[in-house]
Amino acid sequence: MKPLLIGGQWIETAQAVPNVNPSDTKDIIDHYAQGGRAEAQAAVRAAADAAPGWAHSTPQERHDLLARVAADLMARAEEIGTLLSREEGKIRAEGIAEATRAARIFDFFAGEALRAGGELLPSVRPDIEVAITHEPVGPVALITPWNFPIAIPAWKTAPALAFGNPVILKPAELVPGCAWVLAEVLQNAGCPPGVFNLVMGEGSVVGAALLAAPEVKAVSFTGSVPTGQRIAAASVPMNRKVQLEMGGKNPLVVLDDADLERATDVALDGAFFSTGQRCTASSRIIVTEGIHGRFVELLAEKVRGLKVGPALDPASQIGPVVDRTQLDQDLRYIDIARREGGNLRAGGNMVRCATPGYFLAPTLISDTDPAMTINREEVFGPVASVIRVRDYEEALHVANDTPFGLSAGICTTSLKHAQHFRRHAQAGMVFVNLPTAGVDYHVPFGGTKGSSFGPREQGAHARAFYTQVKTSYVFGG
Ligand code: NAD
C-alpha cells in the first residue's frame, strides 16, 4: 500500500484503493491508502504546527528545498512520466513532458523564494517610511483534478512552499500515483515534518474535512464548476482565500485568410492532444464561410488519421479516456450533438485495442450552431464541434457567447483581426496561430467569467494568492 504523508510520517490506512490503468483495466498500478475525516484533520494539525517554523525559514532554506525537488523530479522525469501515462492515459511523450514541466516549475519557484521582496516608499507625511511586505498566509489546502496529475500539484505546491506556507495536498481519486511520488520526492529532499502533507481520499470526505477546518487559511482548487462553487461557499464565511480554476468551452476562430495547413494543425493539437482532456482544449471551432468547406475536409482527414492506442505504446498519438464515467459522458455528448443536428465528420466510435481500455476515436462534429448543447457544456474529452459563421464580427460574438472564459484562439494572417481578437476575446489567455492549450510555466495562467475566481496561478503572479500584504509605517524623524 502506498501510504499517506502526515506530519513527516508515512501513514497506512485500513482501506486502500486500486489505481487502474485506463489503457488496460487488468493492470493495477498499485493500491493507495484512503484517508478519511480523521486523517484530513491530522494533516491540518500537522500543517498548522509547522506553519510558524516554515513562515520563518530563510529564503535560502526554501530555495534549497525547492531546487532539490526540481533536480529529483527532472532526474526521474521518464519514470514519473511513464507512471503518469499509466494512471491517466495521456501518451508517454506527453507524460514525460508534464513531469519535466513539474521539475521546471519547482526550479522557477526556487528562484522566486529568493526574490520575495517588498517595496519601500516615502510616506506622504514627513519623516515616515512605508514598507509593503508579503507574508505567508498559513496552511493551504490544494485540491487537484485528474487531468494533470503532476503539473497541477506542482504548480500549486511550489509557490505555496516558496512563500512560506505549509501544504495539505488532496489529489484527485483517479491519479494518486503522481501525487504520491511528489510527496516522496519532497520527503527525500528533506522537507520539514508537516510542511507538506498528502491525504488521498474522496473529495466529499477528505476535501470536505479540509474545507471545514478553520486552520486552513487558503484553498487552491482546480476542477469542475460545481465543486469549485462548493469550495467558495464553504470558504467565504471563514474569510478564507480561495483560488478556483474550473471549466472551459474554449473557442478557436479560423478566418478565411488563415494558413489552412497551420490552422488544421492548430485545431488538431488544441482539440485532441492529451485525449482532449485539457481545460484549455479547443472544443468550439468557429470557422468563417470562405474557408469552412476546405478546413472541415482537411481537419476531418487529419482527425481520422490520428492513431488511438495504449498510452505506453510508442505508436499511439491519442491515449484512452481516463475512466468509464468520463467515457460515458463523452459518448452521451456525441449522441446529443447528433440528435440536435450535428454532422459526424470523424470518430464517434470506440476503438478496439489489444488491451481492454477506454479508447474513443477522436470525434469531429460539423454543422453545429452556438445554441446546441455541444457548444454550451464542457465535454472534457476528444470531441470538438465546428460552427460556421459569416465573418470575423460574428466569429468574435460566437467565441464570447459562453459562460466560460479560460482560453481563446484565432488563426489568421491579418494583424488587424489578430490584434482586435487579442483585445476583445473574453478569456484569460489568448493564442494567435497557436493551439488554445499548451502554456508556459513562467507566466500567469487562468481565466475570466465562469472559468476562474481569485488571483492567477503560475509565474511571478502566483505570489498574490500565496501571500498576504502588510503595510508598515515607521517614523524615523
Ligand atoms: P472535480 O471537481 O470532480 O474534482 C476535482 C477535485 O475536487 C478532486 O480532487 C476531487 O476529489 C475534489 N472534490 C470533489 N468533491 C469535493 C468536495 N465536495 N469538496 C472538496 N473537494 C472535492 O473535477 P475533475 O473531474 O477531477 O476534473 C475535471 C474538471 O477540471 C473539468 O471541468 C476541467 O475543466 C477542470 N480543469 C480545469 C483546469 C483549469 O485550470 N481551469 C485545469 C484542469 C482541469
Side-chain angles (χ1 to χ4, degrees):
M1 178 195 307
K2 291 278 192 281
L4 312 177
L5 179 63
I6 299 175
Q9 302 293 317
W10 294 110
I11 309 281
E12 297 209 341
T13 54
Q15 209 202 341
V17 294
N19 186 358
V20 179
N21 178 350
S23 298
D24 178 359
T25 53
K26 294 195 306 306
D27 176 30
I28 304 300
I29 296 161
D30 211 329
H31 288 79
Y32 289 80
Q34 276 281 288
R37 213 165 129 242
E39 287 77 12
Q41 288 170 340
V44 170
R45 277 196 303 278
D49 289 347
W54 190 242
H56 291 104
S57 60
T58 63
Q60 192 67 57
E61 284 169 287
R62 296 181 205 166
H63 165 276
D64 292 352
L65 174 69
L66 297 189
R68 284 194 296 273
V69 170
D72 198 17
L73 289 174
M74 192 59 95
R76 296 176 64 179
E78 290 217 354
E79 170 211 335
I80 297 170
T82 305
L83 169 67
L84 195 165
S85 296
R86 216 170 136 210
E87 71 173 348
E88 196 269 350
K90 63 184 70 170
I91 60 167
R92 189 162 175 269
E94 292 172 333
I96 293 171
E98 189 183 324
T100 305
R101 176 195 179 88
R104 295 203 165 114
I105 289 166
F106 271 92
D107 197 33
F108 177 86
F109 283 106
E112 286 299 281
L114 297 176
R115 285 188 286 272
E119 291 167 70
L120 191 64
L121 282 77
S123 166
V124 292
R125 292 170 280 163
D127 300 328
I128 296 175
E129 269 184 350
V130 185
I132 302 169
T133 48
H134 302 266
E135 301 191 336
V137 180
V140 297
L142 309 178
I143 301 180
T144 55
W146 49 261
N147 65 332
F148 284 94
I150 191 80
I152 294 180
W155 84 48
K156 294 183 190 297
T157 300
L161 298 182
F163 297 117
N165 309 285
V167 162
I168 307 117
L169 171 62
K170 208 298 284 171
E173 290 86 327
L174 289 174
V175 291
C178 286
W180 194 88
V181 173
L182 180 61
E184 182 187 48
V185 167
L186 275 148
Q187 192 73 342
N188 291 345
C191 184
V195 168
F196 178 86
N197 305 277
L198 173 71
V199 187
M200 291 87 79
E202 284 180 25
S204 56
V205 179
V206 173
L210 296 176
L211 295 178
E215 299 92 332
V216 172
K217 300 300 179 196
V219 180
S220 180
F221 166 80
T222 302
S224 63
V225 173
T227 312
Q229 287 172 343
R230 210 169 286 141
I231 286 172
S235 296
V236 169
M238 295 191 190
N239 275 358
R240 175 193 285 148
K241 287 184 99 171
V242 189
Q243 180 177 56
L244 308 175
E245 291 297 344
M246 302 174 286
K249 196 69 213 173
N250 311 294
L252 173 69
V253 168
V254 179
L255 298 185
D256 286 354
D257 62 20
D259 174 330
L260 183 64
E261 200 59 51
R262 179 153 191 104
T264 45
D265 283 346
V266 162
L268 194 75
D269 177 328
F272 301 110
F273 286 10
S274 296
T275 321
Q277 296 177 149
R278 296 188 284 190
C279 49
T280 46
S282 322
S283 51
R284 294 181 299 140
I285 307 174
I286 301 161
V287 189
T288 50
E289 54 194 11
I291 196 172
H292 179 272
R294 284 176 295 139
F295 176 86
V296 173
E297 212 49 53
L298 183 58
L299 180 59
E301 190 186 313
K302 288 185 178 181
V303 176
R304 285 191 295 266
L306 288 171
K307 173 92 176 75
V308 178
L312 297 182
D313 180 342
S316 300
Q317 292 173 289
I318 306 289
V321 169
V322 74
D323 74 347
R324 178 88 241 170
T325 308
Q326 185 62 50
L327 176 66
D328 289 344
Q329 174 167 313
D330 297 350
L331 290 169
R332 188 166 54 82
Y333 274 115
I334 294 169
D335 186 49
I336 293 172
R338 295 183 73 179
R339 282 194 281 112
E340 290 184 1
N343 189 359
L344 191 66
R345 304 299 290 253
N349 56 294
M350 300 283 297
V351 176
R352 278 187 76 86
C353 294
T355 47
Y358 308 114
F359 302 105
L360 175 62
T363 302
L364 184 69
I365 301 162
S366 69
D367 304 291
T368 70
D369 75 58
M372 284 167 55
T373 309
I374 193 76
N375 290 321
R376 309 304 311 171
E377 297 176 15
E378 185 181 46
V379 179
F380 218 59
V383 181
S385 56
V386 180
I387 304 170
R388 181 187 187 130
V389 291
R390 269 187 323 278
D391 52 20
Y392 169 73
E393 283 68 30
E394 189 185 355
L396 178 65
H397 173 77
V398 171
N400 287 338
D401 179 18
T402 168
F404 295 110
L406 187 55
S407 155
I410 188 167
C411 290
T412 180
T413 50
S414 153
L415 181 62
K416 180 178 130 198
H417 286 139
Q419 288 289 55
H420 190 273
F421 188 79
R422 201 170 62 73
R423 286 199 299 272
H424 295 277
Q426 294 167 359
M429 296 172 289
V430 176
F431 296 84
V432 177
N433 294 317
L434 285 166
T436 56
V439 297
D440 287 2
Y441 63 86
H442 68 307
V443 291
F445 176 95
T448 56
K449 302 203 295 193
S451 289
S452 302
F453 179 80
R456 287 285 182 264
E457 300 202 75
Q458 302 203 55
H461 287 246
R463 182 171 78 169
F465 180 71
Y466 292 102
T467 60
Q468 51 198 341
V469 171
K470 178 178 277 178
T471 311
S472 315
Y473 295 81
V474 180
F475 176 65

